[in-house]
Amino acid sequence: MTAAAPLRVAVIGSGPAAMYTVEHLLAASANLSIDVFERLFAPYGLVRYGVAPDHQKIKGVTRAFEPLLHDPRVRLFAAVDVGRDLALDDLARRYHAVVAAAGARADRRMGVPGEDLPGSLPATAFVAWYNGHPDFTGLAIDLQRESAVVVGVGNVAIDVARILVLTPDELRRTDMPPYAIEALEASRIREVHILGRRGPAQAAFTAPELKELTTLAGAALRIDPAEAALDPASAAEVERSPDRTLARKVQLIQEIAAAPVPCRPRTIHLRFCVSPLELLPGPDGAVASVRAVRNRLVASPAGGIAAEPTGEEETIPAGLVFRSVGYRGLPIPGLPFDERLGVIPNRAGRVIDPASGAPLPGRYVAGWLKRGPTGVIGTNKPDAAETVRCLLEDADAGCLPAPADPDPASVEALLRGRGVQWLDCSDWQRIDELERAAGAREGRPRVKFTSLAAVLEALGRAAPAT
Ligand code: NAP
């Protein structure tokens, strides 16, 4: 590449994987230009719409992302949907490389009868709702029930359980939208049951997140000591594990189980070796309870330890059920997709043709769309570094297809011609200032805009014709 012909990269998404991709690209080469395409009106994806609103320290990672969007080599095209507003071919004509970093915004299913009853929701939807995600502000969620069940024992399940029991004082310190604060303040939920299908040694949550459940002002955490005990195979697994955080996590679970349960208005019951068999409706047709079975742990033929139903059943009252059994990526039209794994097939971030296994020139993937929905925000940094390394190696080797129309103005002209009203970095800066100012007036980190129409109005722009 010469100074006259910078490497042009389109990044789809603006969450952590996308922003770390931008960071690594900027650090590696001066002679490039990066356009970031974000479907929503605000950047940062999972940080803004997935990280729990009472975890502002984690959301603070955006302070490292802000300067990237202000770099003169980077342009933000927010409120532009690749797939709807732009086709992959439109990008291929204008960029040497396209990096898909759009995350995993769909949910996985439990596969049990009654899963679609009213009141049974993906945790992903609830998370998006309490984070003010514009697609989820209208989610029907009846918090006038007394008991909720959360299926799965990952960190998302812990987030969901915690948010359900925050006190009004704790809620008002978050950046949750007013509708969510009001609904949660008026909530009548008293019992939250988190169901892990396997044992304490196989729980996916991390110890700090569990520990936080013991520090809540309005809720106690209860773990049955019998369920906290390890079977011999799990005990051996913990003993063998080179990861000492596992032993510490199991120890924490057992300490909580052994400690007296403090008296609080609400209780979170963390259960192990229990699986839902069926969600049962009440007289109003909405979910009212979960028929569940106790599991025993057995050696899995695939390796590791699996849950096997014992036949011993129980019924758990549940006016709300949140399945928190993992996120799933969604396809991007024009790129291959592995439906089974919910990822874009790739080798180290190079998108591959699933039929031939050959890399598709100029196509890359990073983050949850590349490796599946695992890891914390920081995991995306080395993940993006790997993808960027492949991209730059291919650029150096002359393997990137030359774009037919590399003029940076061309994509703007295309969007304008299609009547797409995008928001750029200065628009985002203004939105950010307005949100923070509204938050400061209420002693909160920010008050988010939750619709494009409200954002456009605040920016003094007319809404696009639909
Ligand atoms: P996760 O960590 O993969 O946990 C998914 C849970 O669902 C596991 O306990 C899994 O159990 C269970 N599960 C899967 N299928 C099931 C089924 N059919 N029936 C019952 N249980 C089932 O996923 P996640 O909680 O969605 O989190 C995604 C990623 O984001 C994780 O890496 C997480 O650590 C991260 N995250 C981090 C934070 C934080 O750092 N504070 C907050 C939120 C999320 P098995 O193990 O038995 O399959």
Side-chain angles (χ1 to χ4, degrees), residues 153-241:
V153 282
N155 280 330
V156 171
I158 301 288
D159 279 349
V160 164
R162 189 182 67 256
I163 294 292
L164 282 171
V165 300
L166 291 185
T167 61
D169 191 43
E170 288 166 330
L171 288 166
R172 286 195 202 122
R173 291 201 293 265
T174 71
D175 65 356
M176 264 188 219
Y179 67 77
I181 294 184
E182 278 162 32
L184 286 161
E185 273 181 356
S187 162
R188 296 172 74 174
I189 300 278
R190 289 293 169 268
E191 310 286 321
V192 179
H193 307 264
I194 310 176
L195 307 186
R197 62 178 167 185
R198 297 189 291 158
Q202 293 81 33
F205 56 71
T206 40
E209 278 62 30
L210 177 65
K211 179 103 183 147
E212 197 181 351
L213 293 187
T214 65
T215 63
L216 299 173
L221 175 61
R222 181 185 284 275
I223 304 176
D224 179 346
E227 291 187 0
L230 295 192
D231 61 294
S234 296
E237 190 178 72
V238 173
E239 189 62 36
R240 273 197 314 271
S241 172

Side-chain angles (χ1 to χ4, degrees), residues 89-447:
D89 281 351
D90 296 325
L91 298 181
R93 280 185 62 79
R94 291 167 177 83
Y95 300 88
H96 295 92
V98 177
V99 183
R105 60 191 162 96
D107 65 289
R108 293 183 56 227
R109 295 181 62 83
M110 299 182 288
V112 297
E115 192 162 2
D116 293 315
L117 285 173
S120 166
L121 307 165
T124 52
F126 182 51
V127 169
W129 174 81
Y130 64 58
N131 266 311
H133 189 300
D135 294 350
F136 290 86
T137 54
L139 186 74
I141 171 153
D142 181 1
L143 292 163
Q144 295 306 299
R145 312 288 176 134
E146 292 218 333
S147 177
V149 162
V150 185
V151 179
V153 282
N155 280 330
V156 171
I158 301 288
D159 279 349
V160 164
R162 189 182 67 256
I163 294 292
L164 282 171
V165 300
L166 291 185
T167 61
D169 191 43
E170 288 166 330
L171 288 166
R172 286 195 202 122
R173 291 201 293 265
T174 71
D175 65 356
M176 264 188 219
Y179 67 77
I181 294 184
E182 278 162 32
L184 286 161
E185 273 181 356
S187 162
R188 296 172 74 174
I189 300 278
R190 289 293 169 268
E191 310 286 321
V192 179
H193 307 264
I194 310 176
L195 307 186
R197 62 178 167 185
R198 297 189 291 158
Q202 293 81 33
F205 56 71
T206 40
E209 278 62 30
L210 177 65
K211 179 103 183 147
E212 197 181 351
L213 293 187
T214 65
T215 63
L216 299 173
L221 175 61
R222 181 185 284 275
I223 304 176
D224 179 346
E227 291 187 0
L230 295 192
D231 61 294
S234 296
E237 190 178 72
V238 173
E239 189 62 36
R240 273 197 314 271
S241 172
D243 174 10
R244 294 326 291 161
T245 58
L246 175 60
R248 284 199 290 277
K249 182 168 73 176
V250 170
Q251 189 186 352
L252 175 66
I253 292 168
Q254 293 176 342
E255 282 168 6
I256 295 168
V261 180
C263 187
R264 300 267 195 281
R266 289 167 159 154
T267 307
I268 296 174
H269 304 265
L270 176 57
R271 304 286 312 275
F272 293 106
C273 290
V274 179
S275 283
L277 290 175
E278 184 178 12
L279 275 50
L280 299 166
D284 62 357
V287 66
S289 60
V290 173
R291 186 165 70 85
V293 67
R294 166 158 292 285
N295 297 323
R296 69 170 73 85
L297 296 176
V298 295
S300 158
I305 290 175
E308 184 181 84
T310 60
E312 188 189 326
E313 291 190 11
E314 64 181 297
T315 301
I316 305 169
L320 279 170
V321 175
F322 299 98
R323 54 179 181 277
S324 185
V325 296
Y327 284 71
R328 242 187 92 74
L330 287 176
I332 294 181
L335 288 174
F337 191 67
D338 182 328
E339 283 293 344
R340 194 176 62 82
L341 299 176
V343 299
I344 292 180
N346 71 94
R347 256 197 314 275
R350 285 186 179 96
V351 177
I352 56 168
D353 175 345
S356 67
L360 295 174
R363 306 285 178 272
Y364 301 88
V365 60
W368 279 6
L369 255 184
K370 168 186 174 184
R371 67 175 195 276
T374 60
V376 295
I377 286 169
T379 315
N380 293 296
K381 199 168 179 165
D383 176 296
E386 180 186 59
T387 296
V388 167
R389 229 174 6 252
C390 292
L391 191 160
L392 295 174
E393 268 171 31
D394 294 348
D396 285 347
C399 302
L400 296 182
D405 190 359
D407 180 354
S410 151
V411 72
E412 293 172 317
L414 182 70
L415 287 170
R416 234 176 257 120
R418 289 179 182 170
V420 179
Q421 186 163 162
W422 74 92
L423 304 181
D424 64 17
C425 185
S426 60
D427 295 323
W428 161 241
Q429 198 174 2
R430 183 76 191 121
I431 297 167
D432 189 38
E433 284 163 6
L434 291 171
E435 289 187 343
R436 286 180 192 280
R441 289 194 288 276
E442 297 183 13
R444 308 208 282 127
R446 68 172 67 231
V447 177

